[in-house]
Amino acid sequence: MSTLCRSTATEATEPGPGGRGFSSALCGGGGRVAGLDGLRTVAVVLVIVYHVLPDPLPGGSVGVDVFFTISGFVITRLLVAEYARTGRIGLWSFYRRRWLRLMPALLVMCAVTAVLAVAFAVPMFRDVWVAVALTAGSAVNLVRAGEPGAYSGLTAPFGHTWSLGVEEQFYLAWPLLLLVLLRRGRARVVLCWVAVLCVLPVIWRTVLWDPAAAHRIYNGPDTRADQLLVGALLALVLARLRADDPRLVVLRRWAGRLCWPALALLALIVWQIPITGPSGWNPLWYTAGFLAAAVLSACVVAALELCPRSWPSRLLSLAVPAWVGRNLSYGMYLWHYPLIRLLSDFGVRGGRLLFAGLTVTLLAALASYALIERPLLRRGRVRARRPEPAVVAAA
Protein backbone atom coordinates (compact mmCIF):
# COMPACT_ATOMS: atom_id res chain seq x y z
CA MET A 1 0.00 0.00 0.00
CA SER A 2 1.41 3.37 -0.87
CA THR A 3 1.31 6.46 1.32
CA LEU A 4 -0.95 8.08 -1.25
CA CYS A 5 -3.43 5.22 -0.96
CA ARG A 6 -3.55 5.55 2.82
CA SER A 7 -4.17 9.29 2.53
CA THR A 8 -6.76 9.43 -0.21
CA ALA A 9 -8.75 6.27 0.39
CA THR A 10 -9.17 6.97 4.08
CA GLU A 11 -10.48 10.45 3.39
CA ALA A 12 -12.75 9.35 0.58
CA THR A 13 -14.43 6.43 2.34
CA GLU A 14 -16.82 6.86 5.22
CA PRO A 15 -16.71 4.23 7.94
CA GLY A 16 -19.47 1.67 8.05
CA PRO A 17 -21.70 1.00 11.03
CA GLY A 18 -18.93 -0.85 12.83
CA GLY A 19 -16.12 1.66 12.41
CA ARG A 20 -15.88 2.66 16.08
CA GLY A 21 -12.38 4.12 15.83
CA PHE A 22 -10.95 1.81 13.16
CA SER A 23 -12.07 3.64 10.04
CA SER A 24 -8.55 3.65 8.55
CA ALA A 25 -8.93 -0.11 8.11
CA LEU A 26 -11.19 0.67 5.16
CA CYS A 27 -8.08 1.57 3.18
CA GLY A 28 -5.67 -0.96 4.61
CA GLY A 29 -7.82 -4.06 4.48
CA GLY A 30 -8.16 -4.59 0.76
CA GLY A 31 -4.79 -4.56 -0.92
CA ARG A 32 -1.63 -6.64 -0.82
CA VAL A 33 1.76 -5.29 0.20
CA ALA A 34 4.37 -6.61 -2.23
CA GLY A 35 7.12 -6.23 0.34
CA LEU A 36 5.32 -8.60 2.70
CA ASP A 37 5.16 -11.19 -0.05
CA GLY A 38 8.91 -10.80 -0.58
CA LEU A 39 9.46 -11.19 3.16
CA ARG A 40 7.53 -14.46 3.01
CA THR A 41 9.96 -15.70 0.36
CA VAL A 42 12.96 -14.86 2.54
CA ALA A 43 11.36 -16.57 5.55
CA VAL A 44 10.52 -19.82 3.75
CA VAL A 45 13.96 -20.05 2.12
CA LEU A 46 15.55 -19.58 5.56
CA VAL A 47 13.50 -22.46 6.94
CA ILE A 48 14.37 -24.72 4.01
CA VAL A 49 18.09 -23.99 4.27
CA TYR A 50 17.93 -24.57 8.02
CA HIS A 51 16.31 -27.98 7.56
CA VAL A 52 19.04 -29.00 5.10
CA LEU A 53 22.12 -27.36 6.64
CA PRO A 54 21.36 -26.36 10.23
CA ASP A 55 24.98 -25.73 11.29
CA PRO A 56 25.66 -22.61 9.15
CA LEU A 57 22.29 -21.07 10.14
CA PRO A 58 21.48 -22.38 13.64
CA GLY A 59 18.67 -19.84 14.09
CA GLY A 60 17.08 -20.36 10.68
CA SER A 61 13.86 -21.52 12.29
CA VAL A 62 13.19 -17.86 13.16
CA GLY A 63 11.65 -17.73 9.68
CA VAL A 64 8.61 -19.39 11.28
CA ASP A 65 8.45 -16.60 13.86
CA VAL A 66 8.38 -14.07 11.02
CA PHE A 67 5.56 -16.02 9.36
CA PHE A 68 3.53 -15.96 12.56
CA THR A 69 3.76 -12.17 12.86
CA ILE A 70 2.89 -11.64 9.19
CA SER A 71 -0.11 -13.96 9.54
CA GLY A 72 -1.44 -12.19 12.62
CA PHE A 73 -1.07 -8.84 10.87
CA VAL A 74 -2.71 -9.82 7.58
CA ILE A 75 -5.62 -11.74 9.10
CA THR A 76 -6.44 -9.01 11.62
CA ARG A 77 -6.23 -6.32 8.96
CA LEU A 78 -8.82 -8.17 6.89
CA LEU A 79 -11.10 -8.84 9.85
CA VAL A 80 -11.06 -5.28 11.20
CA ALA A 81 -11.59 -3.88 7.69
CA GLU A 82 -14.71 -6.00 7.32
CA TYR A 83 -15.95 -4.91 10.73
CA ALA A 84 -15.29 -1.23 9.99
CA ARG A 85 -17.10 -1.50 6.67
CA THR A 86 -20.16 -3.53 7.67
CA GLY A 87 -20.33 -3.66 11.45
CA ARG A 88 -20.03 -7.44 11.40
CA ILE A 89 -17.63 -10.30 10.71
CA GLY A 90 -18.74 -13.15 8.48
CA LEU A 91 -17.37 -15.99 10.58
CA TRP A 92 -18.59 -18.77 8.31
CA SER A 93 -17.12 -16.99 5.31
CA PHE A 94 -13.81 -16.46 7.13
CA TYR A 95 -13.49 -20.10 8.21
CA ARG A 96 -14.43 -21.31 4.76
CA ARG A 97 -11.81 -19.12 3.10
CA ARG A 98 -9.13 -20.28 5.54
CA TRP A 99 -10.07 -23.91 4.94
CA LEU A 100 -9.92 -23.51 1.16
CA ARG A 101 -6.62 -21.67 1.38
CA LEU A 102 -4.85 -24.14 3.66
CA MET A 103 -6.41 -27.58 3.82
CA PRO A 104 -6.82 -28.88 0.23
CA ALA A 105 -3.14 -28.36 -0.59
CA LEU A 106 -2.18 -29.86 2.77
CA LEU A 107 -4.35 -32.93 2.24
CA VAL A 108 -2.93 -33.49 -1.24
CA MET A 109 0.59 -33.30 0.18
CA CYS A 110 -0.39 -35.91 2.79
CA ALA A 111 -1.94 -38.16 0.14
CA VAL A 112 1.08 -37.99 -2.16
CA THR A 113 3.41 -38.71 0.76
CA ALA A 114 1.26 -41.71 1.72
CA VAL A 115 1.60 -43.03 -1.83
CA LEU A 116 5.37 -42.59 -1.57
CA ALA A 117 5.23 -44.53 1.70
CA VAL A 118 3.74 -47.47 -0.16
CA ALA A 119 6.18 -47.16 -3.04
CA PHE A 120 9.41 -46.71 -1.04
CA ALA A 121 10.37 -48.54 2.12
CA VAL A 122 12.42 -45.77 3.72
CA PRO A 123 12.68 -45.08 7.47
CA MET A 124 10.93 -41.72 7.32
CA PHE A 125 7.64 -43.24 6.16
CA ARG A 126 7.17 -45.95 8.80
CA ASP A 127 4.42 -44.17 10.75
CA VAL A 128 3.01 -42.23 7.84
CA TRP A 129 -0.65 -43.18 8.38
CA VAL A 130 -0.70 -41.92 11.95
CA ALA A 131 1.14 -38.80 10.81
CA VAL A 132 -1.42 -38.21 8.05
CA ALA A 133 -4.29 -38.39 10.55
CA LEU A 134 -2.56 -35.99 12.97
CA THR A 135 -1.71 -33.56 10.18
CA ALA A 136 -5.23 -33.56 8.72
CA GLY A 137 -6.54 -32.86 12.22
CA SER A 138 -4.08 -29.98 12.77
CA ALA A 139 -2.79 -31.78 15.84
CA VAL A 140 0.92 -32.23 15.05
CA ASN A 141 1.93 -29.33 17.30
CA LEU A 142 -0.16 -30.70 20.17
CA VAL A 143 1.50 -34.12 19.93
CA ARG A 144 4.96 -32.58 19.73
CA ALA A 145 4.19 -30.34 22.71
CA GLY A 146 3.61 -33.46 24.80
CA GLU A 147 6.96 -35.07 23.97
CA PRO A 148 9.54 -33.98 26.58
CA GLY A 149 12.49 -35.83 25.05
CA ALA A 150 13.56 -36.22 21.44
CA TYR A 151 10.67 -36.08 19.00
CA SER A 152 9.30 -39.52 18.20
CA GLY A 153 8.64 -40.72 14.68
CA LEU A 154 4.93 -40.33 15.29
CA THR A 155 4.61 -37.11 13.30
CA ALA A 156 7.28 -37.78 10.66
CA PRO A 157 7.40 -36.84 7.82
CA PHE A 158 5.04 -33.97 8.70
CA GLY A 159 6.83 -32.55 11.72
CA HIS A 160 7.07 -29.16 10.02
CA THR A 161 3.27 -28.82 10.02
CA TRP A 162 3.37 -28.02 13.75
CA SER A 163 3.45 -24.34 12.77
CA LEU A 164 0.37 -24.75 10.58
CA GLY A 165 -1.40 -26.24 13.58
CA VAL A 166 -0.51 -23.20 15.68
CA GLU A 167 -1.82 -20.86 12.97
CA GLU A 168 -5.01 -22.83 12.38
CA GLN A 169 -5.78 -22.91 16.09
CA PHE A 170 -5.20 -19.15 16.20
CA TYR A 171 -7.52 -18.66 13.21
CA LEU A 172 -10.20 -20.64 15.01
CA ALA A 173 -10.12 -18.58 18.21
CA TRP A 174 -8.97 -15.10 17.21
CA PRO A 175 -11.92 -13.91 15.05
CA LEU A 176 -14.34 -14.76 17.87
CA LEU A 177 -12.25 -13.00 20.50
CA LEU A 178 -11.64 -9.99 18.25
CA LEU A 179 -15.35 -9.71 17.55
CA VAL A 180 -16.13 -9.67 21.27
CA LEU A 181 -13.52 -6.96 21.83
CA LEU A 182 -14.76 -4.84 18.93
CA ARG A 183 -18.38 -5.11 20.02
CA ARG A 184 -17.81 -4.31 23.68
CA GLY A 185 -15.05 -1.72 23.71
CA ARG A 186 -13.83 1.42 22.04
CA ALA A 187 -10.67 1.36 19.96
CA ARG A 188 -8.35 2.31 22.82
CA VAL A 189 -9.80 -0.41 25.01
CA VAL A 190 -9.37 -2.97 22.24
CA LEU A 191 -5.74 -1.94 21.75
CA CYS A 192 -5.05 -2.17 25.48
CA TRP A 193 -6.57 -5.64 25.73
CA VAL A 194 -4.60 -6.94 22.75
CA ALA A 195 -1.39 -5.45 24.18
CA VAL A 196 -2.08 -7.29 27.45
CA LEU A 197 -2.71 -10.50 25.52
CA CYS A 198 0.71 -10.09 23.86
CA VAL A 199 2.41 -10.15 27.27
CA LEU A 200 0.49 -13.03 28.83
CA PRO A 201 2.30 -15.80 26.86
CA VAL A 202 5.65 -14.46 28.12
CA ILE A 203 4.45 -14.80 31.70
CA TRP A 204 3.06 -18.25 30.96
CA ARG A 205 6.34 -19.37 29.34
CA THR A 206 8.23 -18.14 32.40
CA VAL A 207 5.97 -20.19 34.64
CA LEU A 208 6.39 -23.28 32.45
CA TRP A 209 10.10 -22.96 31.78
CA ASP A 210 12.17 -26.06 32.35
CA PRO A 211 14.43 -27.81 29.83
CA ALA A 212 11.97 -30.71 29.90
CA ALA A 213 9.19 -28.26 28.87
CA ALA A 214 11.04 -26.90 25.82
CA HIS A 215 8.86 -28.83 23.36
CA ARG A 216 5.73 -27.78 25.23
CA ILE A 217 6.73 -24.12 24.93
CA TYR A 218 7.94 -24.32 21.34
CA ASN A 219 4.85 -26.07 19.94
CA GLY A 220 1.99 -24.86 22.13
CA PRO A 221 -0.65 -22.59 20.58
CA ASP A 222 -0.88 -20.72 23.90
CA THR A 223 2.88 -20.31 24.30
CA ARG A 224 3.37 -19.01 20.73
CA ALA A 225 0.24 -16.84 20.57
CA ASP A 226 2.12 -13.62 21.29
CA GLN A 227 3.93 -13.81 17.95
CA LEU A 228 0.62 -13.78 16.07
CA LEU A 229 -0.90 -11.25 18.45
CA VAL A 230 1.96 -8.77 17.94
CA GLY A 231 1.08 -8.75 14.24
CA ALA A 232 -2.57 -8.36 15.15
CA LEU A 233 -1.77 -5.42 17.44
CA LEU A 234 0.16 -3.69 14.64
CA ALA A 235 -2.79 -4.13 12.28
CA LEU A 236 -5.15 -2.60 14.85
CA VAL A 237 -2.83 0.34 15.49
CA LEU A 238 -2.65 1.13 11.79
CA ALA A 239 -6.41 0.74 11.47
CA ARG A 240 -6.83 3.18 14.37
CA LEU A 241 -4.71 6.03 12.96
CA ARG A 242 -6.28 8.20 10.30
CA ALA A 243 -4.20 9.70 7.54
CA ASP A 244 -4.24 13.13 9.19
CA ASP A 245 -3.24 11.79 12.61
CA PRO A 246 0.21 13.17 13.56
CA ARG A 247 0.96 9.91 15.36
CA LEU A 248 0.92 8.14 12.00
CA VAL A 249 3.70 10.44 10.80
CA VAL A 250 5.75 9.56 13.88
CA LEU A 251 5.06 5.85 13.42
CA ARG A 252 6.09 5.99 9.76
CA ARG A 253 9.32 7.81 10.64
CA TRP A 254 10.29 5.34 13.33
CA ALA A 255 9.28 2.33 11.25
CA GLY A 256 11.67 3.52 8.56
CA ARG A 257 14.45 4.10 11.09
CA LEU A 258 14.03 0.76 12.86
CA CYS A 259 13.63 -1.46 9.81
CA TRP A 260 17.34 -1.93 9.06
CA PRO A 261 18.34 -2.55 12.71
CA ALA A 262 15.45 -5.02 13.05
CA LEU A 263 16.55 -6.86 9.91
CA ALA A 264 20.14 -6.89 11.16
CA LEU A 265 19.12 -8.35 14.53
CA LEU A 266 16.98 -11.01 12.88
CA ALA A 267 19.93 -11.89 10.63
CA LEU A 268 22.17 -12.11 13.70
CA ILE A 269 19.70 -14.51 15.33
CA VAL A 270 19.68 -16.66 12.20
CA TRP A 271 23.47 -16.70 12.07
CA GLN A 272 24.40 -17.10 15.72
CA ILE A 273 21.57 -18.26 18.01
CA PRO A 274 20.50 -21.93 18.11
CA ILE A 275 16.80 -22.20 18.84
CA THR A 276 15.77 -25.85 18.48
CA GLY A 277 17.41 -28.90 20.02
CA PRO A 278 18.99 -29.17 23.49
CA SER A 279 21.77 -26.72 22.54
CA GLY A 280 19.14 -24.09 21.80
CA TRP A 281 17.01 -24.54 24.91
CA ASN A 282 18.01 -21.18 26.29
CA PRO A 283 15.75 -19.95 29.11
CA LEU A 284 15.99 -16.34 27.92
CA TRP A 285 14.91 -17.23 24.39
CA TYR A 286 12.19 -19.63 25.53
CA THR A 287 10.62 -16.99 27.76
CA ALA A 288 11.15 -13.51 26.27
CA GLY A 289 12.94 -14.36 23.03
CA PHE A 290 9.86 -15.34 21.05
CA LEU A 291 8.24 -11.99 21.85
CA ALA A 292 11.46 -10.17 20.90
CA ALA A 293 11.52 -11.93 17.52
CA ALA A 294 7.89 -10.94 16.97
CA VAL A 295 8.58 -7.29 17.82
CA LEU A 296 11.54 -7.22 15.41
CA SER A 297 9.36 -8.80 12.73
CA ALA A 298 6.61 -6.26 13.41
CA CYS A 299 9.11 -3.41 12.92
CA VAL A 300 9.92 -4.79 9.48
CA VAL A 301 6.23 -5.35 8.64
CA ALA A 302 5.39 -1.78 9.69
CA ALA A 303 8.15 -0.37 7.49
CA LEU A 304 7.01 -2.42 4.50
CA GLU A 305 3.44 -1.20 5.04
CA LEU A 306 4.18 2.47 5.72
CA CYS A 307 7.41 3.14 3.80
CA PRO A 308 6.97 1.64 0.31
CA ARG A 309 9.82 3.77 -1.07
CA SER A 310 12.39 2.55 1.46
CA TRP A 311 15.18 0.26 0.29
CA PRO A 312 14.00 -2.82 2.21
CA SER A 313 10.54 -2.39 0.72
CA ARG A 314 11.93 -1.90 -2.79
CA LEU A 315 14.16 -4.95 -2.55
CA LEU A 316 11.47 -7.23 -1.14
CA SER A 317 8.92 -5.89 -3.64
CA LEU A 318 10.96 -6.99 -6.66
CA ALA A 319 8.85 -9.03 -9.04
CA VAL A 320 10.36 -12.47 -8.46
CA PRO A 321 10.47 -12.59 -4.63
CA ALA A 322 7.06 -10.90 -4.41
CA TRP A 323 5.49 -13.38 -6.85
CA VAL A 324 7.07 -16.38 -5.15
CA GLY A 325 5.97 -15.19 -1.71
CA ARG A 326 2.45 -14.45 -2.87
CA ASN A 327 1.88 -17.67 -4.80
CA LEU A 328 4.42 -20.33 -3.82
CA SER A 329 5.56 -19.74 -0.24
CA TYR A 330 2.81 -21.88 1.28
CA GLY A 331 3.40 -24.73 -1.16
CA MET A 332 7.15 -24.51 -0.61
CA TYR A 333 6.67 -24.80 3.13
CA LEU A 334 4.28 -27.74 2.73
CA TRP A 335 6.44 -29.79 0.39
CA HIS A 336 10.02 -29.04 1.36
CA TYR A 337 10.25 -31.22 4.46
CA PRO A 338 8.97 -34.58 3.15
CA LEU A 339 10.84 -34.14 -0.14
CA ILE A 340 14.11 -33.22 1.52
CA ARG A 341 13.76 -36.08 4.01
CA LEU A 342 13.09 -38.47 1.13
CA LEU A 343 16.16 -37.28 -0.78
CA SER A 344 18.22 -37.60 2.38
CA ASP A 345 17.07 -41.18 2.90
CA PHE A 346 18.17 -41.89 -0.66
CA GLY A 347 21.68 -40.73 0.24
CA VAL A 348 21.74 -37.17 -1.11
CA ARG A 349 23.82 -34.96 1.20
CA GLY A 350 25.25 -31.46 1.71
CA GLY A 351 25.12 -28.90 -1.06
CA ARG A 352 23.60 -31.39 -3.49
CA LEU A 353 20.73 -31.95 -1.06
CA LEU A 354 20.12 -28.21 -0.80
CA PHE A 355 20.11 -27.72 -4.57
CA ALA A 356 18.00 -30.80 -5.27
CA GLY A 357 15.67 -30.02 -2.36
CA LEU A 358 15.05 -26.46 -3.49
CA THR A 359 14.48 -27.63 -7.07
CA VAL A 360 11.92 -30.33 -6.30
CA THR A 361 10.27 -28.10 -3.69
CA LEU A 362 9.78 -25.33 -6.24
CA LEU A 363 8.38 -27.78 -8.77
CA ALA A 364 5.97 -29.25 -6.23
CA ALA A 365 4.90 -25.77 -5.09
CA LEU A 366 4.28 -24.70 -8.69
CA ALA A 367 2.12 -27.78 -9.27
CA SER A 368 0.24 -27.15 -6.02
CA TYR A 369 -0.39 -23.54 -6.96
CA ALA A 370 -1.49 -24.25 -10.54
CA LEU A 371 -3.61 -27.33 -9.88
CA ILE A 372 -5.00 -26.79 -6.38
CA GLU A 373 -4.50 -23.40 -4.77
CA ARG A 374 -5.23 -21.00 -7.66
CA PRO A 375 -8.43 -22.76 -8.85
CA LEU A 376 -9.79 -22.83 -5.31
CA LEU A 377 -8.86 -19.19 -4.71
CA ARG A 378 -10.70 -18.18 -7.88
CA ARG A 379 -13.72 -20.18 -6.78
CA GLY A 380 -13.57 -18.51 -3.38
CA ARG A 381 -13.49 -15.03 -4.91
CA VAL A 382 -16.56 -15.82 -7.01
CA ARG A 383 -18.42 -17.08 -3.94
CA ALA A 384 -17.28 -14.05 -1.93
CA ARG A 385 -19.14 -11.72 -4.32
CA ARG A 386 -22.43 -13.35 -3.36
CA PRO A 387 -24.28 -12.30 -0.19
CA GLU A 388 -23.18 -14.28 2.87
CA PRO A 389 -26.20 -15.26 5.00
CA ALA A 390 -24.19 -16.62 7.95
CA VAL A 391 -22.72 -13.61 9.70
CA VAL A 392 -22.34 -12.44 13.25
CA ALA A 393 -23.57 -8.87 13.46
CA ALA A 394 -22.16 -6.20 15.70
CA ALA A 395 -24.30 -4.81 18.47
Side-chain angles (χ1 to χ4, degrees), residues 18-22 83 177-193 240 395:
R20 300 193 70 180
F22 291 107
Y83 188 85
L177 179 57
L178 179 62
L179 181 62
V180 171
L181 292 174
L182 290 172
R183 291 178 65 178
R184 295 185 177 275
R186 291 187 171 275
R188 290 182 181 178
V189 175
V190 174
L191 291 173
C192 288
W193 272 112
R240 174 79 174 94

Coordinates of all heavy atoms in Angstrom, one line a residue, residues 18-22 83 177-193 240 395:
G18 N -19.8 -0.3 11.8 CA -18.9 -0.9 12.8 C -17.6 -0.2 13.0 O -16.7 -0.8 13.5
G19 N -17.4 1.0 12.4 CA -16.1 1.7 12.4 C -15.5 1.8 13.8 O -14.5 1.3 14.1
R20 N -16.2 2.5 14.7 CA -15.9 2.7 16.1 C -14.4 2.9 16.3 O -13.8 2.2 17.1 CB -16.4 1.4 16.9 CG -17.9 1.2 16.8 CD -18.3 0.2 17.8 NE -18.3 0.8 19.1 CZ -18.6 0.1 20.2 NH1 -19.1 -1.1 20.1 NH2 -18.5 0.6 21.4
G21 N -13.8 3.8 15.6 CA -12.4 4.1 15.8 C -11.4 3.4 14.9 O -10.2 3.6 15.1
F22 N -11.9 2.5 14.1 CA -10.9 1.8 13.2 C -11.3 2.1 11.7 O -11.2 1.2 10.8 CB -11.0 0.3 13.4 CG -10.5 -0.1 14.8 CD1 -11.3 -0.5 15.8 CD2 -9.1 -0.1 15.0 CE1 -10.8 -0.9 17.0 CE2 -8.6 -0.5 16.2 CZ -9.4 -0.9 17.2
Y83 N -15.1 -5.4 9.6 CA -16.0 -4.9 10.7 C -16.2 -3.4 10.6 O -17.3 -2.9 10.8 CB -15.3 -5.2 12.1 CG -16.1 -4.9 13.3 CD1 -17.1 -5.8 13.7 CD2 -16.0 -3.7 13.9 CE1 -17.9 -5.5 14.8 CE2 -16.8 -3.4 15.0 CZ -17.7 -4.3 15.4 OH -18.5 -4.0 16.5
L177 N -12.7 -13.9 19.4 CA -12.2 -13.0 20.5 C -12.2 -11.6 20.0 O -12.6 -10.6 20.7 CB -10.9 -13.4 21.0 CG -10.2 -12.6 22.1 CD1 -11.1 -12.5 23.3 CD2 -8.9 -13.2 22.4
L178 N -11.7 -11.4 18.8 CA -11.6 -10.0 18.3 C -13.0 -9.4 18.1 O -13.3 -8.2 18.4 CB -10.9 -10.0 16.9 CG -10.8 -8.7 16.2 CD1 -10.0 -7.7 17.0 CD2 -10.2 -8.8 14.8
L179 N -14.0 -10.2 17.7 CA -15.4 -9.7 17.5 C -15.9 -9.3 18.9 O -16.5 -8.2 19.0 CB -16.2 -10.8 16.9 CG -17.7 -10.4 16.7 CD1 -17.8 -9.3 15.7 CD2 -18.5 -11.6 16.2
V180 N -15.7 -10.1 19.9 CA -16.1 -9.7 21.3 C -15.5 -8.3 21.7 O -16.2 -7.4 22.2 CB -15.8 -10.8 22.3 CG1 -16.1 -10.3 23.7 CG2 -16.6 -12.0 22.0
L181 N -14.2 -8.2 21.5 CA -13.5 -7.0 21.8 C -14.1 -5.8 21.1 O -14.3 -4.7 21.6 CB -12.0 -7.1 21.6 CG -11.3 -8.1 22.5 CD1 -9.8 -8.2 22.0 CD2 -11.3 -7.6 24.0
L182 N -14.3 -5.9 19.8 CA -14.8 -4.8 18.9 C -16.2 -4.4 19.3 O -16.5 -3.3 19.3 CB -14.7 -5.2 17.5 CG -13.3 -5.4 16.9 CD1 -13.4 -6.0 15.4 CD2 -12.6 -4.0 16.8
R183 N -17.0 -5.4 19.7 CA -18.4 -5.1 20.0 C -18.5 -4.4 21.4 O -19.4 -3.6 21.6 CB -19.2 -6.4 20.0 CG -19.4 -7.0 18.6 CD -20.2 -8.3 18.7 NE -21.5 -8.1 19.2 CZ -22.5 -9.1 19.3 NH1 -22.1 -10.3 19.0 NH2 -23.7 -8.8 19.7
R184 N -17.6 -4.7 22.3 CA -17.8 -4.3 23.7 C -16.9 -3.1 24.1 O -17.1 -2.6 25.2 CB -17.5 -5.5 24.6 CG -18.6 -6.6 24.5 CD -18.4 -7.7 25.5 NE -19.4 -8.7 25.3 CZ -20.6 -8.7 25.9 NH1 -20.9 -7.7 26.6 NH2 -21.4 -9.7 25.7
G185 N -15.9 -2.8 23.3 CA -15.1 -1.7 23.7 C -14.7 -0.7 22.6 O -14.8 -1.1 21.4
R186 N -14.3 0.5 23.0 CA -13.8 1.4 22.0 C -12.4 1.0 21.6 O -11.8 0.1 22.2 CB -13.8 2.8 22.6 CG -15.2 3.4 22.9 CD -15.2 4.8 23.3 NE -16.5 5.4 23.3 CZ -17.1 5.9 22.3 NH1 -16.5 5.9 21.1 NH2 -18.3 6.4 22.4
A187 N -11.9 1.8 20.6 CA -10.7 1.4 20.0 C -9.5 1.3 21.0 O -8.7 0.4 21.0 CB -10.3 2.3 18.8
R188 N -9.4 2.3 21.8 CA -8.4 2.3 22.8 C -8.4 1.1 23.7 O -7.4 0.5 24.1 CB -8.4 3.6 23.6 CG -8.0 4.8 22.9 CD -8.0 6.1 23.7 NE -7.7 7.3 23.0 CZ -7.7 8.5 23.5 NH1 -8.0 8.6 24.8 NH2 -7.3 9.5 22.8
V189 N -9.6 0.7 24.1 CA -9.8 -0.4 25.0 C -9.4 -1.7 24.3 O -8.7 -2.6 24.9 CB -11.3 -0.5 25.5 CG1 -11.5 -1.8 26.3 CG2 -11.6 0.7 26.3
V190 N -9.8 -1.8 23.0 CA -9.4 -3.0 22.2 C -7.9 -3.1 22.1 O -7.3 -4.1 22.4 CB -10.0 -2.9 20.8 CG1 -9.5 -4.0 20.0 CG2 -11.5 -3.0 20.9
L191 N -7.2 -1.9 21.9 CA -5.7 -1.9 21.8 C -5.1 -2.3 23.1 O -4.1 -3.1 23.1 CB -5.2 -0.6 21.3 CG -5.6 -0.2 19.9 CD1 -5.2 1.3 19.6 CD2 -4.9 -1.1 18.9
C192 N -5.6 -1.8 24.2 CA -5.1 -2.2 25.5 C -5.2 -3.7 25.8 O -4.2 -4.3 26.3 CB -5.7 -1.3 26.6 SG -5.3 0.4 26.6
W193 N -6.4 -4.2 25.5 CA -6.6 -5.6 25.7 C -5.6 -6.5 24.9 O -5.1 -7.5 25.4 CB -8.0 -6.0 25.5 CG -8.9 -5.8 26.7 CD1 -9.9 -4.9 26.8 CD2 -8.9 -6.6 27.9 NE1 -10.5 -5.1 28.1 CE2 -9.9 -6.1 28.7 CE3 -8.1 -7.7 28.3 CZ2 -10.1 -6.6 30.0 CZ3 -8.3 -8.2 29.6 CH2 -9.3 -7.7 30.4
R240 N -6.4 2.1 13.4 CA -6.8 3.2 14.4 C -6.4 4.6 13.9 O -7.2 5.5 14.1 CB -6.2 2.9 15.8 CG -6.5 4.0 16.8 CD -7.9 3.8 17.3 NE -8.1 4.8 18.4 CZ -8.7 6.0 18.3 NH1 -9.0 6.4 17.1 NH2 -8.8 6.8 19.4
A395 N -23.2 -5.4 17.7 CA -24.3 -4.8 18.5 C -24.6 -3.4 18.1 O -23.6 -2.7 17.7 CB -24.0 -4.9 19.9

